[in-house]
Amino acid sequence: MLQYALHRLALAVPTLFGLTVVIFIAIRVLMPVDVVDVLLGETDTTFDPTIAAELREKFGLDGPLPVQYARWLGRVAQGDLGRSFVSGRPVTEELLYRVPTSLQLGLGALVITVLVALPIGMMSAVRRDTVPDYLARGGAILLYAVPGFWLAILVLVFGSVWFRWAPSIEFRPFWEDPLANLKHIWLPMLILGLNSTGTMIRLVRTQVLEVLGHDYVRTARAKGLSTQTVYFRHVLRNALLPIVTVVGLQIPNVVSGTVIFEQIFLVPGVGRYLLTALQRLDIYVILGTNLFFGTVLVFSNLVVDILYGVIDPRIRFSGR
Amino acid sequence: MNSNYWLSRRMSRRVSRRGVLRSSAIGGLGLAGAALLGCSGDDEEPSGGATPDTIATTDPAGSGEPQRGGTLRTHSLGDVETFYMLTAPQLSGGRQMGYAISRLLMPSVGEGGPADGSLVGDLSESHEVVDPQTYVFHLRKGVTWDDRAPTSGREFNAEDVVRSFDQASETARARGSISNAVNPDAPIESMTALDDHTVEMKLAFPDVLVLYQIANLSPMGIYPVEAIDGAFNPEQEMRGTGPFRLVEYRQGVSMRFERNEKWHLGPERPYLDAIELSIIPEAAQLETQFRAGNIHMGSGEISNQPQLVQEVPGTLLYTAPPEGNGATLNFNWMPDSSFLDERVRRAASMALDRDTFIEVIFRPAEYVEAGLELPQTWNNPLPSSYGPWWLDPKGPDFGESAQYMHHNLEEARRLLDAAGFNDGNPLRYELIFPGNRHDSRRTRQAETWQAMSSQAGIEVVLNSTDYNTGWLEIYSPSRGYWPRGPEQSEPMDGVLYRPSSSKTDAGQWFTDYFNPQGSNTITGEEFPDLWDQVVALKGMTDEEERRAAVHDIQRYAVEHMVTCPVDATTDFTDVHWEGLHGPGVVQPWPGALGGYGYATEVLPHYWLDERLRT
């Protein structure tokens, strides 16, 4: 298992390197603007060309692009993601402050998705073509169809219009004030989690239905095993592999969801940081946050790969 | 979209937003989508409901005696970008500086009426003009810096002023606007300390507008020498001598300011004990927090105001002069541009019906239905927020040139015909605007201008560009600025929508936008005599003479249509909770939201009664 994990980890290194190249090219080559010009483009002062030169030098934007890339990568390797063009603050420092919050929101949402979808999906399969199944399937389609940001806005608007209610206005990190933190973050976490639940319910139902038709399930029942044992030991475990795959595939959705949900619910995470940076073309922040998101995806895939090995021991031996 | 969409909307029945909310309660989709986009619902259903009650407004006479204490809860749309304007790479973000950072001078506020643009002392108690190029400032005594080390409650002195200016000249982004060493067109040659409490300012040339320039927080905020010398990090800590002191900053979340007990313009003011400023970038969240009572005022960012005031007991609506920002449509001055012909420029302006524009964009009828008549004004191009300095194109004093701002389709067609444009060969131009920045209403505005122009036979092609990748590139220094000719121009005439920001003085506004060599020029090099008139303002010490000259510049600008003044507006409106006293009564300069120094100029006058002291 360790060897398998190390092998997958080693594969992540060139992937991350490729990621830095793609991100850098996307931001510095494909974007048809000079970021210094953008910074200076709409000001209230007489244009001073020395300021542009100063800024380029200060932010490492002088010299050919390959040199700029090498300089940036060298700093990234040392944990320095550069400085914000707008605030002048170090991007690494800002990210370290925001990453735990985004992870809390994203992972919490994922947990909610799994906790809601697994039992409902199973129940729906087990009670196929009954009223609970219809309700579960209808609910799943509704959750699948309703965009999460729309639901979030509805909750905000109607909460305040009908009940004069508003979510907490002041975010506190979990390590500082857990109660205040949960009071603030439960709602975006719930809605973000529900956003992916529809897909998961449908998938769990389909997988469980498929497994329920297998001979070994009939055998388990014939042996007189309890319903609980049949469902959880024989059915669910065998249905899990594709479900884990889909959970892994949900991670990009959750990550992108944090960008919108952090903005709507006043959560100072990486997503909101990225959104603000995009509005300002704050390139080192855009590079840094994209690198973070990319790294999360690479490592979440790694975790999923390892989980395959845990769920299905055959993969450990054939995975190389 | 149908080019006459907005005009045809005007003819349709006006409806209330209450109806929208009711229908949204069932369907929900429209409101939520609109709220996310930060705009109000446009596709409203007729309500058919009862006429709304008259909305309550702030009554200055009923404000009572100011009381000390309480915490004002307000908001900011964005996070603070810098604590230190002397080295910040961006110019924006200075608004939060106004809580704690002082200047030598600042604009006075209007109390119970609009401000008039006169200056009062901030850290300077008085000043004298020794000769047209020498000013002496007598600084306030007994002003102290922050109690914490390294400033340790030290008394503010002349060295702080001199070193702040020197540092600004060296590293501030706006240094080109003040320091003659950086820019020969900038006035200030040097600042020298004559003694601990006296500073001499030498100018490279006579310029009375310089006082208004140093009344702007950017770049003339005064910082302690300890910040400049690096004894503490001013990029991480905001320390000044202003009315409030920053006691807590949570990145992306909030700022908390507490009263500076030793403020030099105290001791009565500020009345508030503290201000909590939550960072709320999202429109729906902002309205939600206001409705729930978590913030005390909307700062102009909440839409649906008449409806909100009727629905939420305890809220009030107030009005103030229009915002100091405006916009113009800038003609291009390329050699083959159709707009080099004055007749074409005038025709483009006369095709626009500015009163209808106000109806479409600002919907004053909804306020009238609710019992509030909003004054309506036209920028000329100087924004109407400049009070006595602004000349009303609808008034008797403007003169004959005002005709070029009045809607006259017949004359517009005649001028176009004389210039060689007719139905067979229509004037066709591209209107480029940043559709995703500055104001969510811009697209609707552009469509309105397009529809109006079409009635005069002018074909306007809308080009909504992305702010970062399109708009600023057109505008960027390396492109040589668009009014002089874009490298990427298409074989079509073009007009560039250009927002303007508020300045401390009308003369400064002209200096920024009419300077043929300036980065913000909207006139290019086509009107040297106009620029001569603006330069002449700098030597006018008599205020009446200068005001008359400012009025003449406006007449000239309209007569020659140096830019098309499209912005027409109503008075500013906003909501606040009953119990907060000040909004609508204390008015900043220029316009409703003032400049970077708003927090110093206005907030010390605000106070809370028992209803909001929780």
Side-chain angles (χ1 to χ4, degrees), chain B residues 34-306:
Chain B
L36 184 72
L37 294 170
C39 61
S40 56
D42 291 327
D43 301 317
E44 298 155 314
E45 297 295 327
S47 66
T51 306
D53 300 329
T54 300
I55 46 184
T57 56
T58 301
D59 176 12
S63 292
E65 282 300 307
Q67 298 166 21
R68 275 279 311 273
T71 298
L72 172 68
R73 296 199 298 269
T74 180
H75 72 95
S76 162
L77 283 179
D79 199 354
V80 64
E81 289 165 354
T82 180
F83 285 165
Y84 193 43
M85 294 298 282
L86 299 187
T87 58
Q90 279 273 22
L91 282 177
S92 55
R95 206 165 171 82
Q96 285 93 346
M97 301 294 103
Y99 287 88
I101 308 298
S102 304
R103 297 146 282 174
L104 288 175
L105 303 170
M106 64 181 181
S108 60
V109 293
E111 294 193 54
D116 62 5
S118 57
L119 299 177
V120 293
D122 190 353
L123 283 172
S124 168
E125 194 162 38
S126 64
H127 67 271
E128 52 191 288
V129 184
V130 178
D131 62 59
Q133 288 177 241
T134 310
Y135 290 71
V136 171
F137 295 95
H138 301 285
L139 308 181
R140 291 185 195 276
K141 295 174 180 166
V143 179
T144 55
W145 295 104
D146 199 291
D147 288 338
R148 292 168 295 174
T151 44
S152 306
R154 174 180 68 77
E155 190 176 355
F156 152 78
N157 60 38
E159 195 190 352
D160 295 313
V161 178
V162 172
R163 293 289 304 282
S164 292
F165 170 74
D166 290 345
Q167 186 67 40
S169 302
E170 203 173 312
T171 56
R173 279 280 285 103
R175 64 195 183 193
S177 64
I178 54 161
S179 174
N180 185 259
V182 175
N183 172 16
D185 290 335
I188 306 178
E189 204 167 64
S190 67
M191 289 246 192
T192 313
L194 299 182
D195 60 44
D196 270 2
H197 296 97
T198 313
V199 169
E200 183 186 71
M201 178 173 74
K202 282 278 188 192
L203 303 186
F205 48 82
D207 184 358
V208 295
L209 303 182
V210 72
L211 294 179
Y212 298 93
Q213 218 155 355
I214 64 173
N216 191 337
L217 199 54
S218 168
M220 277 306 292
I222 307 296
Y223 293 82
V225 289
E226 290 84 352
I228 297 160
D229 289 339
F232 73 94
N233 185 354
E235 291 175 349
Q236 303 287 333
E237 294 179 53
M238 190 194 294
R239 295 199 199 178
T241 53
F244 299 96
R245 291 189 166 165
L246 179 66
V247 294
E248 188 179 29
Y249 167 55
R250 295 177 169 275
Q251 282 164 276
V253 177
S254 64
M255 303 174 85
R256 182 179 169 82
F257 296 91
E258 288 183 357
R259 183 178 200 274
N260 178 3
E261 299 290 342
K262 299 174 185 172
W263 188 40
H264 48 274
L265 298 176
E268 296 86 9
R269 290 169 179 152
Y271 298 118
L272 301 163
D273 280 344
I275 296 177
E276 282 180 2
L277 194 144
S278 298
I279 297 161
I280 306 177
E282 212 283 314
Q285 181 72 258
L286 181 61
E287 184 172 332
T288 295
Q289 296 294 347
F290 180 82
R291 281 176 179 269
N294 293 337
I295 52 174
H296 293 148
M297 56 196 289
S299 305
E301 304 293 344
I302 296 176
S303 54
N304 307 330
Q305 292 166 358

Side-chain angles (χ1 to χ4, degrees), chain B residues 508-519:
Chain B
Q508 273 206 304
W509 195 96
F510 294 140
T511 304
D512 246 41
Y513 298 109
F514 291 166
N515 181 354
Q517 301 304 320
S519 63

Side-chain angles (χ1 to χ4, degrees), chain A residues 21-248:
Chain A
V21 175
V22 170
I23 292 172
F24 191 85
I25 289 175
I27 306 296
R28 297 290 292 126
V29 181
L30 298 182
M31 201 171 278
V33 285
D34 178 338
V35 289
V36 173
D37 273 359
V38 167
L39 194 66
L40 300 179
E42 194 175 26
T43 67
D44 294 345
T45 57
T46 302
F47 177 56
D48 177 359
T50 60
I51 292 181
E54 279 172 20
L55 287 172
R56 285 200 175 86
E57 191 185 342
K58 182 178 177 184
F59 288 97
L61 297 173
D62 48 343
L65 281 173
V67 174
Q68 290 181 32
Y69 170 73
R71 216 159 29 203
W72 175 67
L73 191 64
R75 286 202 309 263
V76 169
Q78 297 169 54
D80 176 8
L81 294 169
R83 281 178 177 269
S84 161
F85 238 62
V86 176
S87 69
R89 285 194 284 267
V91 177
T92 311
E93 194 180 287
E94 292 268 349
L95 273 181
L96 286 176
Y97 171 77
R98 292 161 190 271
V99 162
T101 301
S102 288
L103 286 181
Q104 183 193 7
L105 177 61
L107 291 177
L110 209 56
V111 168
I112 287 172
T113 301
V114 173
L115 287 181
V116 173
L118 269 185
I120 293 179
M122 270 200 74
M123 181 274 296
S124 181
V126 170
R127 301 191 177 184
R128 185 181 182 180
D129 294 335
T130 62
V131 172
D133 177 34
Y134 295 141
L135 286 176
R137 284 157 67 188
I141 289 170
L142 188 69
L143 287 173
Y144 183 68
V146 171
F149 71 87
W150 181 82
L151 197 60
I153 296 288
L154 277 193
V155 170
L156 279 183
V157 172
F158 291 119
S160 67
V161 170
W162 288 341
F163 308 111
R164 297 275 299 275
W165 169 88
S168 151
I169 195 170
E170 173 110 356
F171 177 85
R172 298 269 166 173
F174 186 80
W175 59 88
E176 219 179 87
D177 188 342
L179 270 182
N181 171 273
L182 292 174
K183 191 177 159 198
H184 191 105
I185 212 165
W186 73 270
L187 187 57
M189 201 183 269
L190 178 69
I191 298 175
L192 185 58
L194 290 177
N195 198 28
S196 305
T197 303
T199 315
M200 284 293 288
I201 289 174
R202 287 164 62 83
L203 180 82
V204 171
R205 181 180 181 277
T206 308
Q207 289 304 315
V208 170
L209 276 176
E210 191 182 324
V211 174
L212 279 173
H214 285 176
D215 289 344
Y216 59 82
V217 175
R218 201 163 30 247
T219 306
R221 280 185 173 140
K223 279 161 61 183
L225 294 178
S226 69
T227 308
Q228 206 174 5
T229 308
V230 171
Y231 288 149
F232 285 95
R233 185 174 295 174
H234 295 277
V235 175
L236 186 59
R237 181 154 186 180
N238 282 292
L240 266 185
L241 202 59
I243 292 170
V244 167
T245 308
V246 173
V247 170

Side-chain angles (χ1 to χ4, degrees), chain B residues 378-391:
Chain B
W378 300 351
N379 294 354
N380 70 26
L382 187 74
S384 56
S385 55
Y386 283 91
W389 299 88
W390 167 76
L391 194 57

